[in-house]
Amino acid sequence: MNAVTLKTDGSIEHRGSCVQSDILGFLGSQIELEKGYSLRSFFLMLDRYELLVGLNSFFPTYTEQYRNCPPEGCAAGAPEYLEFSKTVEMIGFPDKRLEIYNSFTGVFNEEIFEIRSLQLDSMLDLPVRLGRLRHIIFGDPVDLFEFDTVFTLFEFIDGIAWELSFHVIPAHCELRR
């Protein structure tokens, strides 16, 4: 699988060169994050590769919010870092089904929690890390396994867009840890 590196300045690198055009051709590529990659880096990527904004109808609203945030220091009272991960849930009786989804969560003292109550201006400068695949089997007892996995550029963009779609809470209602 082709791999691309998402850089802190918002650029995408493939085989040592910055991707200039045909960004859509890299949506299926495996991603790696440059050390220091943050949620701000993600928005810089959306600014740099405008075609990516068309992947989600909420992106124009998110980018407007991003542009209204301070240029630095947007990590006060927030988690230690943000983690993008994948979950596979096997659910048995009475309905046998398999659910696979991506998550974008906060991590504080090794505890994972939802970031829906946080405002964008408190998360922009937090580091973003790629997590593992969590395989959950519901039954008696619930079993949890973790595996190394890969993420594609599309999964990363779509997963973050999905999580940010829940960020419509007014600032005065924000809960902080």
Side-chain angles (χ1 to χ4, degrees):
M1 176 180 274
N2 280 335
V4 295
T5 301
L6 308 185
K7 309 290 271 180
T8 58
D9 66 359
S11 64
I12 298 175
E13 185 178 274
H14 179 252
R15 296 184 181 161
S17 298
C18 182
V19 174
Q20 300 297 327
S21 60
D22 190 33
I23 189 64
L24 297 181
F26 291 96
L27 288 175
S29 297
Q30 176 184 343
I31 61 166
E32 298 169 355
L33 303 180
E34 181 179 51
K35 185 175 177 156
Y37 192 89
S38 65
L39 190 55
R40 185 179 303 274
S41 304
F42 177 81
F43 282 100
L44 289 170
M45 178 181 70
L46 293 180
D47 279 347
R48 187 176 194 127
Y49 302 99
E50 294 179 12
L51 279 175
L52 297 179
V53 174
L55 294 176
N56 189 285
S57 59
F58 288 105
F59 275 151
T61 303
Y62 304 153
T63 54
E64 180 182 333
Q65 289 177 10
Y66 154 72
R67 288 185 185 106
N68 290 326
C69 290
E72 60 185 29
C74 294
E80 295 168 34
Y81 62 92
L82 301 171
E83 181 179 81
F84 189 79
S85 62
K86 191 179 293 188
T87 302
V88 175
E89 292 181 351
M90 294 179 69
I91 302 160
F93 189 81
D95 301 330
K96 293 180 183 168
R97 69 182 198 268
L98 179 72
E99 295 182 7
I100 302 170
Y101 56 89
N102 293 311
S103 300
F104 191 55
T105 56
V107 179
F108 184 76
N109 287 336
E110 298 183 23
E111 180 183 330
I112 297 169
F113 64 93
E114 290 186 357
I115 57 173
R116 294 178 182 175
S117 62
L118 299 175
Q119 295 295 312
L120 189 60
D121 66 358
S122 66
M123 299 185 298
L124 271 180
D125 293 319
L126 288 172
V128 175
R129 297 182 187 169
L130 298 177
R132 302 182 82 195
L133 179 139
R134 291 178 186 88
H135 185 175
I136 303 169
I137 302 172
F138 290 100
D140 287 327
V142 173
D143 292 316
L144 172 67
F145 304 96
E146 290 190 341
F147 303 93
D148 290 333
T149 192
V150 298
F151 300 97
T152 65
L153 179 58
F154 179 77
E155 285 177 315
F156 187 69
I157 293 168
D158 186 59
I160 291 177
W162 171 258
E163 184 58 42
L164 292 180
S165 70
F166 295 98
H167 286 253
V168 291
I169 299 169
H172 65 277
C173 295
E174 178 181 5
L175 299 175
R176 294 194 183 245
R177 279 191 150 304

mmCIF file of all heavy atoms in Angstrom, residues 2 23 32-33 47 56 64 66 71 83-84 93 95 103 111 123 129-130 140-141 143 155 158 164 174:
data_model
loop_
_atom_site.group_PDB
_atom_site.id
_atom_site.type_symbol
_atom_site.label_atom_id
_atom_site.label_comp_id
_atom_site.label_asym_id
_atom_site.label_seq_id
_atom_site.Cartn_x
_atom_site.Cartn_y
_atom_site.Cartn_z
ATOM 1 N N ASN A 2 0.555 2.209 -0.829
ATOM 2 C CA ASN A 2 1.280 3.479 -0.830
ATOM 3 C C ASN A 2 1.093 4.176 0.508
ATOM 4 O O ASN A 2 0.009 4.151 1.078
ATOM 5 C CB ASN A 2 0.761 4.403 -1.932
ATOM 6 C CG ASN A 2 1.341 4.048 -3.272
ATOM 7 O OD1 ASN A 2 2.408 3.480 -3.365
ATOM 8 N ND2 ASN A 2 0.625 4.407 -4.321
ATOM 9 N N ILE A 23 -4.590 15.207 -5.334
ATOM 10 C CA ILE A 23 -4.687 14.774 -3.940
ATOM 11 C C ILE A 23 -5.717 13.666 -3.777
ATOM 12 O O ILE A 23 -5.557 12.775 -2.938
ATOM 13 C CB ILE A 23 -4.985 15.981 -3.002
ATOM 14 C CG1 ILE A 23 -4.870 15.554 -1.536
ATOM 15 C CG2 ILE A 23 -6.355 16.572 -3.272
ATOM 16 C CD1 ILE A 23 -3.501 15.115 -1.132
ATOM 17 N N GLU A 32 0.945 8.222 7.733
ATOM 18 C CA GLU A 32 1.847 8.334 8.867
ATOM 19 C C GLU A 32 1.804 9.804 9.265
ATOM 20 O O GLU A 32 1.636 10.674 8.410
ATOM 21 C CB GLU A 32 3.259 7.925 8.469
ATOM 22 C CG GLU A 32 3.359 6.488 8.013
ATOM 23 C CD GLU A 32 4.691 6.146 7.363
ATOM 24 O OE1 GLU A 32 5.534 7.061 7.174
ATOM 25 O OE2 GLU A 32 4.876 4.973 7.024
ATOM 26 N N LEU A 33 1.943 10.083 10.543
ATOM 27 C CA LEU A 33 1.919 11.461 11.020
ATOM 28 C C LEU A 33 3.322 11.899 11.415
ATOM 29 O O LEU A 33 4.019 11.189 12.145
ATOM 30 C CB LEU A 33 0.988 11.605 12.229
ATOM 31 C CG LEU A 33 -0.464 11.173 12.040
ATOM 32 C CD1 LEU A 33 -1.247 11.376 13.330
ATOM 33 C CD2 LEU A 33 -1.120 11.927 10.896
ATOM 34 N N ASP A 47 -6.721 23.658 4.293
ATOM 35 C CA ASP A 47 -6.464 24.927 3.600
ATOM 36 C C ASP A 47 -5.587 24.721 2.370
ATOM 37 O O ASP A 47 -5.799 25.323 1.327
ATOM 38 C CB ASP A 47 -5.771 25.927 4.536
ATOM 39 C CG ASP A 47 -6.742 26.627 5.470
ATOM 40 O OD1 ASP A 47 -7.972 26.541 5.255
ATOM 41 O OD2 ASP A 47 -6.272 27.259 6.436
ATOM 42 N N ASN A 56 -16.696 16.626 2.969
ATOM 43 C CA ASN A 56 -17.673 16.671 4.053
ATOM 44 C C ASN A 56 -18.366 18.028 4.047
ATOM 45 O O ASN A 56 -17.699 19.064 4.003
ATOM 46 C CB ASN A 56 -16.981 16.423 5.399
ATOM 47 C CG ASN A 56 -17.958 16.253 6.525
ATOM 48 O OD1 ASN A 56 -18.546 17.221 6.981
ATOM 49 N ND2 ASN A 56 -18.140 15.027 6.969
ATOM 50 N N GLU A 64 -14.078 27.757 9.077
ATOM 51 C CA GLU A 64 -14.389 29.112 9.533
ATOM 52 C C GLU A 64 -14.113 29.241 11.034
ATOM 53 O O GLU A 64 -13.519 30.219 11.490
ATOM 54 C CB GLU A 64 -15.857 29.450 9.228
ATOM 55 C CG GLU A 64 -16.260 30.838 9.659
ATOM 56 C CD GLU A 64 -17.736 31.123 9.374
ATOM 57 O OE1 GLU A 64 -18.290 30.522 8.434
ATOM 58 O OE2 GLU A 64 -18.318 31.949 10.100
ATOM 59 N N TYR A 66 -12.031 27.413 12.746
ATOM 60 C CA TYR A 66 -10.581 27.323 12.876
ATOM 61 C C TYR A 66 -9.925 28.681 12.631
ATOM 62 O O TYR A 66 -9.039 29.100 13.375
ATOM 63 C CB TYR A 66 -10.049 26.261 11.903
ATOM 64 C CG TYR A 66 -8.630 26.459 11.465
ATOM 65 C CD1 TYR A 66 -7.574 26.230 12.335
ATOM 66 C CD2 TYR A 66 -8.334 26.882 10.171
ATOM 67 C CE1 TYR A 66 -6.266 26.419 11.933
ATOM 68 C CE2 TYR A 66 -7.026 27.060 9.757
ATOM 69 C CZ TYR A 66 -6.001 26.835 10.644
ATOM 70 O OH TYR A 66 -4.710 27.027 10.242
ATOM 71 N N PRO A 71 -3.815 32.054 16.877
ATOM 72 C CA PRO A 71 -2.803 31.369 16.062
ATOM 73 C C PRO A 71 -1.936 30.375 16.846
ATOM 74 O O PRO A 71 -1.190 29.621 16.251
ATOM 75 C CB PRO A 71 -1.952 32.507 15.506
ATOM 76 C CG PRO A 71 -2.166 33.633 16.451
ATOM 77 C CD PRO A 71 -3.546 33.481 17.014
ATOM 78 N N GLU A 83 -6.428 11.020 19.921
ATOM 79 C CA GLU A 83 -6.078 9.741 19.311
ATOM 80 C C GLU A 83 -7.125 9.334 18.283
ATOM 81 O O GLU A 83 -8.318 9.347 18.553
ATOM 82 C CB GLU A 83 -5.976 8.661 20.384
ATOM 83 C CG GLU A 83 -5.583 7.300 19.833
ATOM 84 C CD GLU A 83 -5.472 6.264 20.921
ATOM 85 O OE1 GLU A 83 -6.514 5.727 21.331
ATOM 86 O OE2 GLU A 83 -4.329 6.020 21.371
ATOM 87 N N PHE A 84 -6.627 8.969 17.105
ATOM 88 C CA PHE A 84 -7.478 8.442 16.049
ATOM 89 C C PHE A 84 -7.310 6.928 16.054
ATOM 90 O O PHE A 84 -6.190 6.429 15.945
ATOM 91 C CB PHE A 84 -7.070 9.027 14.685
ATOM 92 C CG PHE A 84 -8.035 8.682 13.599
ATOM 93 C CD1 PHE A 84 -9.223 9.374 13.474
ATOM 94 C CD2 PHE A 84 -7.765 7.661 12.715
ATOM 95 C CE1 PHE A 84 -10.133 9.047 12.476
ATOM 96 C CE2 PHE A 84 -8.652 7.327 11.708
ATOM 97 C CZ PHE A 84 -9.847 8.026 11.594
ATOM 98 N N PHE A 93 -25.921 -12.606 20.498
ATOM 99 C CA PHE A 93 -27.338 -12.831 20.720
ATOM 100 C C PHE A 93 -28.054 -11.569 21.135
ATOM 101 O O PHE A 93 -27.536 -10.813 21.930
ATOM 102 C CB PHE A 93 -27.493 -13.915 21.803
ATOM 103 C CG PHE A 93 -28.889 -14.382 21.980
ATOM 104 C CD1 PHE A 93 -29.417 -15.321 21.118
ATOM 105 C CD2 PHE A 93 -29.680 -13.875 22.992
ATOM 106 C CE1 PHE A 93 -30.722 -15.753 21.272
ATOM 107 C CE2 PHE A 93 -30.975 -14.297 23.150
ATOM 108 C CZ PHE A 93 -31.490 -15.246 22.290
ATOM 109 N N ASP A 95 -29.115 -10.444 18.098
ATOM 110 C CA ASP A 95 -28.723 -10.020 16.748
ATOM 111 C C ASP A 95 -27.241 -10.281 16.569
ATOM 112 O O ASP A 95 -26.435 -9.778 17.342
ATOM 113 C CB ASP A 95 -28.970 -8.514 16.543
ATOM 114 C CG ASP A 95 -30.419 -8.115 16.742
ATOM 115 O OD1 ASP A 95 -31.293 -8.951 16.484
ATOM 116 O OD2 ASP A 95 -30.656 -6.972 17.160
ATOM 117 N N SER A 103 -12.702 6.245 15.544
ATOM 118 C CA SER A 103 -12.958 7.135 16.665
ATOM 119 C C SER A 103 -11.863 8.185 16.740
ATOM 120 O O SER A 103 -10.699 7.914 16.430
ATOM 121 C CB SER A 103 -12.964 6.357 17.982
ATOM 122 O OG SER A 103 -13.954 5.372 17.978
ATOM 123 N N GLU A 111 -6.441 7.415 30.004
ATOM 124 C CA GLU A 111 -7.882 7.168 29.947
ATOM 125 C C GLU A 111 -8.450 7.821 28.697
ATOM 126 O O GLU A 111 -8.197 8.995 28.419
ATOM 127 C CB GLU A 111 -8.566 7.752 31.188
ATOM 128 C CG GLU A 111 -10.047 7.538 31.215
ATOM 129 C CD GLU A 111 -10.705 8.194 32.421
ATOM 130 O OE1 GLU A 111 -10.042 8.314 33.477
ATOM 131 O OE2 GLU A 111 -11.868 8.613 32.296
ATOM 132 N N MET A 123 -8.523 22.558 21.499
ATOM 133 C CA MET A 123 -7.928 21.311 21.004
ATOM 134 C C MET A 123 -6.950 21.498 19.847
ATOM 135 O O MET A 123 -6.217 20.583 19.511
ATOM 136 C CB MET A 123 -9.024 20.353 20.511
ATOM 137 C CG MET A 123 -10.016 19.931 21.554
ATOM 138 S SD MET A 123 -11.166 18.694 20.907
ATOM 139 C CE MET A 123 -11.979 19.589 19.586
ATOM 140 N N ARG A 129 -2.291 11.483 17.577
ATOM 141 C CA ARG A 129 -1.581 10.210 17.418
ATOM 142 C C ARG A 129 -2.512 9.192 16.773
ATOM 143 O O ARG A 129 -3.730 9.263 16.934
ATOM 144 C CB ARG A 129 -1.134 9.667 18.779
ATOM 145 C CG ARG A 129 -0.155 10.564 19.489
ATOM 146 C CD ARG A 129 0.288 9.946 20.793
ATOM 147 N NE ARG A 129 1.110 10.888 21.553
ATOM 148 C CZ ARG A 129 1.459 10.695 22.801
ATOM 149 N NH1 ARG A 129 1.097 9.606 23.446
ATOM 150 N NH2 ARG A 129 2.202 11.600 23.422
ATOM 151 N N LEU A 130 -1.910 8.252 16.082
ATOM 152 C CA LEU A 130 -2.671 7.140 15.526
ATOM 153 C C LEU A 130 -2.687 6.025 16.561
ATOM 154 O O LEU A 130 -1.637 5.623 17.076
ATOM 155 C CB LEU A 130 -2.044 6.646 14.222
ATOM 156 C CG LEU A 130 -2.008 7.674 13.088
ATOM 157 C CD1 LEU A 130 -1.295 7.102 11.877
ATOM 158 C CD2 LEU A 130 -3.413 8.137 12.723
ATOM 159 N N ASP A 140 -20.454 -12.817 27.729
ATOM 160 C CA ASP A 140 -20.153 -12.993 29.153
ATOM 161 C C ASP A 140 -18.837 -13.695 29.275
ATOM 162 O O ASP A 140 -18.756 -14.903 29.053
ATOM 163 C CB ASP A 140 -21.236 -13.807 29.850
ATOM 164 C CG ASP A 140 -22.519 -13.025 30.031
ATOM 165 O OD1 ASP A 140 -22.444 -11.809 30.211
ATOM 166 O OD2 ASP A 140 -23.583 -13.659 29.989
ATOM 167 N N PRO A 141 -17.763 -13.060 29.564
ATOM 168 C CA PRO A 141 -17.555 -11.621 29.751
ATOM 169 C C PRO A 141 -17.280 -10.918 28.421
ATOM 170 O O PRO A 141 -17.164 -11.559 27.387
ATOM 171 C CB PRO A 141 -16.308 -11.584 30.628
ATOM 172 C CG PRO A 141 -15.519 -12.767 30.164
ATOM 173 C CD PRO A 141 -16.542 -13.832 29.820
ATOM 174 N N ASP A 143 -14.840 -9.317 25.935
ATOM 175 C CA ASP A 143 -13.413 -9.473 25.647
ATOM 176 C C ASP A 143 -12.939 -8.290 24.818
ATOM 177 O O ASP A 143 -13.630 -7.839 23.906
ATOM 178 C CB ASP A 143 -13.155 -10.769 24.869
ATOM 179 C CG ASP A 143 -13.423 -12.005 25.711
ATOM 180 O OD1 ASP A 143 -13.010 -12.024 26.890
ATOM 181 O OD2 ASP A 143 -14.041 -12.958 25.186
ATOM 182 N N GLU A 155 -10.024 7.599 5.602
ATOM 183 C CA GLU A 155 -10.540 7.242 6.929
ATOM 184 C C GLU A 155 -10.220 8.338 7.944
ATOM 185 O O GLU A 155 -11.057 8.691 8.774
ATOM 186 C CB GLU A 155 -9.896 5.938 7.425
ATOM 187 C CG GLU A 155 -10.390 4.689 6.786
ATOM 188 C CD GLU A 155 -9.641 3.467 7.284
ATOM 189 O OE1 GLU A 155 -8.393 3.500 7.382
ATOM 190 O OE2 GLU A 155 -10.316 2.465 7.579
ATOM 191 N N ASP A 158 -12.368 11.556 7.120
ATOM 192 C CA ASP A 158 -13.782 11.292 7.389
ATOM 193 C C ASP A 158 -14.040 11.077 8.887
ATOM 194 O O ASP A 158 -15.035 11.557 9.422
ATOM 195 C CB ASP A 158 -14.237 10.077 6.583
ATOM 196 C CG ASP A 158 -15.725 9.836 6.693
ATOM 197 O OD1 ASP A 158 -16.498 10.747 6.319
ATOM 198 O OD2 ASP A 158 -16.117 8.745 7.162
ATOM 199 N N LEU A 164 -16.019 15.890 14.690
ATOM 200 C CA LEU A 164 -16.220 17.338 14.801
ATOM 201 C C LEU A 164 -17.660 17.744 14.509
ATOM 202 O O LEU A 164 -18.086 18.820 14.922
ATOM 203 C CB LEU A 164 -15.254 18.079 13.876
ATOM 204 C CG LEU A 164 -13.775 17.993 14.254
ATOM 205 C CD1 LEU A 164 -12.934 18.779 13.260
ATOM 206 C CD2 LEU A 164 -13.522 18.475 15.673
ATOM 207 N N GLU A 174 -19.359 24.478 27.582
ATOM 208 C CA GLU A 174 -18.254 23.523 27.441
ATOM 209 C C GLU A 174 -17.870 22.956 28.805
ATOM 210 O O GLU A 174 -17.785 23.667 29.796
ATOM 211 C CB GLU A 174 -17.044 24.232 26.825
ATOM 212 C CG GLU A 174 -15.862 23.333 26.703
ATOM 213 C CD GLU A 174 -14.675 24.061 26.106
ATOM 214 O OE1 GLU A 174 -14.746 25.264 25.870
ATOM 215 O OE2 GLU A 174 -13.659 23.387 25.919
#
